């Protein structure tokens, strides 16, 4: 019985991670179907089809890939920490690039259609999320992946970095929900109350994004899913500190 408990806990964890991936992928696919089928597809020519690139990139980059980048510390919690940090940084970089493409698309569409930029709450929150995401990535690069700060500063900043990552995920999902609402108000509001397929799809997409965020929040904050202490990595960290900062091998 005692040996089966860890296996059961592992099965629950794998099931929750799998469910999170299904929710995230379904959100990306539904966004693509919405923009591709109901909003006349995608293009890069300043038309409304170029605008459609924006929501797809935002859901794929700032929501799905961002969430997965955070989740790698739980999924690969027994792997070498350096490799996990590298994967975390690469996925975040990919999310950042895709998100910037999405922002360029919407600004290009606004310029071609002579629509003012940054006039809505959605655009303000979206820009704030992207700027903070960029800062978060650069700080992670300088503090953890290629550290230039002292071990004391890194230890002090780590909880802030983790907290900001979760806040940015919440901001990205919230901004996406604002974008869905804005699209419903301006595009299909006259028929929305008639349960049109497009309106139902948009509602389902919103629910999927919320469920994805809630499930990721659960996985990330559960103590039993956190990365366990690794004596070998701690020893290497102490020796690195000794070489670079002149501390004693026994210092914390």
């Amino acid at each position: 019985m005692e040996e089966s408990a860890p296996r059961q806990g592992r099965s629950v964890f794998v099931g929750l991670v799998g469910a999170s991936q299904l929710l995230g992928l379904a959100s990306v696919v539904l966004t693509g179907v919405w923009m591709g089928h109901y909003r006349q597809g995608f293009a890069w020519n300043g038309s409304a089809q170029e605008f459609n690139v924006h929501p797809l990139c935002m859901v794929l980059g700032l929501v799905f890939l961002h969430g997965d980048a955070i989740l790698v510390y739980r999924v690969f919690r027994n792997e070498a920490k350096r490799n996990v940090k590298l994967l975390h940084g690469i996925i975040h970089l990919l999310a950042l690039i895709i998100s910037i493409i999405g922002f360029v698309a919407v600004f290009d569409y606004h310029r071609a259609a002579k629509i003012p930029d940054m006039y809505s709450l959605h655009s303000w929150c979206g820009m704030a999320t992207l700027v903070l995401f960029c800062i978060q990535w650069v700080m992670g690069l300088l503090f953890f992946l290629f550290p230039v700060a002292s071990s004391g500063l890194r230890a002090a900043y780590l909880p802030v970095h983790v907290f900001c990552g979760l806040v940015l995920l919440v901001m990205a999902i919230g901004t996406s929900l604002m974008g869905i609402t804005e699209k419903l108000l301006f595009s299909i509001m006259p028929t929305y109350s008639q349960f049109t397929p497009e309106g139902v799809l948009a509602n389902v997409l919103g629910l999927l994004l919320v469920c994805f965020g809630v499930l990721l929040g659960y996985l990330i904050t559960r103590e039993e899913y956190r990365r366990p202490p690794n004596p070998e990595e701690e020893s290497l960290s102490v020796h690195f500190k000794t070489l670079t900062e002149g501390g004693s091998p026994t210092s914390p």
Side-chain angles (χ1 to χ4, degrees):
M1 290 291 292
E2 291 181 0
E3 292 181 358
S4 66
R7 287 199 296 269
Q8 184 179 8
R10 177 67 180 172
S11 299
V12 171
F13 174 75
V14 170
L16 291 173
V17 170
S20 73
Q21 296 310 287
L22 287 175
L23 289 169
L25 286 171
S27 299
V28 174
V29 170
L30 275 188
T31 305
V33 170
W34 186 9
M35 297 299 112
H37 179 69
Y38 292 102
R39 296 286 114 189
Q40 291 77 52
F42 304 92
W44 197 270
N45 54 10
S47 66
Q49 285 71 43
E50 183 173 353
F51 172 86
N52 293 343
V53 175
H54 172 72
L56 182 61
C57 286
M58 294 301 101
V59 172
L60 176 59
L62 281 183
V63 178
F64 181 58
L65 289 179
H66 179 193
D68 273 7
I70 298 173
L71 198 58
V72 297
Y73 278 107
R74 303 296 178 261
V75 175
F76 303 109
R77 60 184 182 274
N78 295 313
E79 303 300 324
K81 192 172 185 179
R82 177 72 180 180
N83 295 338
V84 179
K85 285 196 292 186
L86 186 61
L87 180 61
H88 177 77
I90 290 173
I91 297 175
H92 264 142
L93 177 60
L94 184 60
L96 180 59
I97 292 171
I98 292 173
S99 302
I100 290 174
I101 292 172
F103 266 78
V104 171
V106 73
F107 280 121
D108 197 35
Y109 163 70
H110 281 180
R111 183 169 58 252
K114 295 181 172 54
I115 298 174
D117 294 319
M118 304 301 297
Y119 63 87
S120 66
L121 177 61
H122 167 70
S123 62
W124 289 17
C125 291
M127 181 60 73
T129 303
L130 182 66
V131 170
L132 292 174
F133 188 88
C134 292
I135 295 172
Q136 171 87 341
W137 188 83
V138 171
M139 294 293 284
L141 191 73
L142 297 178
F143 272 75
F144 304 115
L145 195 56
F146 302 105
V148 297
S150 67
S151 61
L153 281 175
R154 292 199 302 273
Y157 176 66
L158 179 59
V160 177
H161 185 75
V162 173
F163 173 76
C164 288
L166 290 174
V167 169
L168 284 171
L169 181 62
V170 172
M171 289 177 65
I173 292 174
T175 303
S176 297
L177 294 176
M178 289 182 197
I180 292 172
T181 303
E182 192 174 277
K183 193 71 175 176
L184 292 174
L185 288 174
F186 286 104
S187 300
I188 63 172
M189 192 60 185
T191 60
Y192 182 46
S193 61
Q194 300 173 19
F195 292 94
T196 58
E198 184 178 2
V200 172
L201 183 147
N203 290 349
V204 172
L205 174 58
L207 288 175
L208 288 174
L209 290 171
V210 171
C211 291
F212 177 72
V214 169
L215 189 50
L216 247 67
Y218 178 81
L219 287 166
I220 293 164
T221 56
R222 292 289 292 182
E223 191 65 34
E224 62 266 33
Y225 300 148
R226 290 182 181 275
R227 183 180 179 84
N230 188 311
E232 182 179 353
E233 289 177 348
E234 293 296 328
S235 176
L236 289 173
S237 178
V238 169
H239 284 295
F240 179 78
K241 179 182 176 181
T242 303
L243 292 170
T244 58
E245 299 178 25
S248 65
T250 57
S251 59

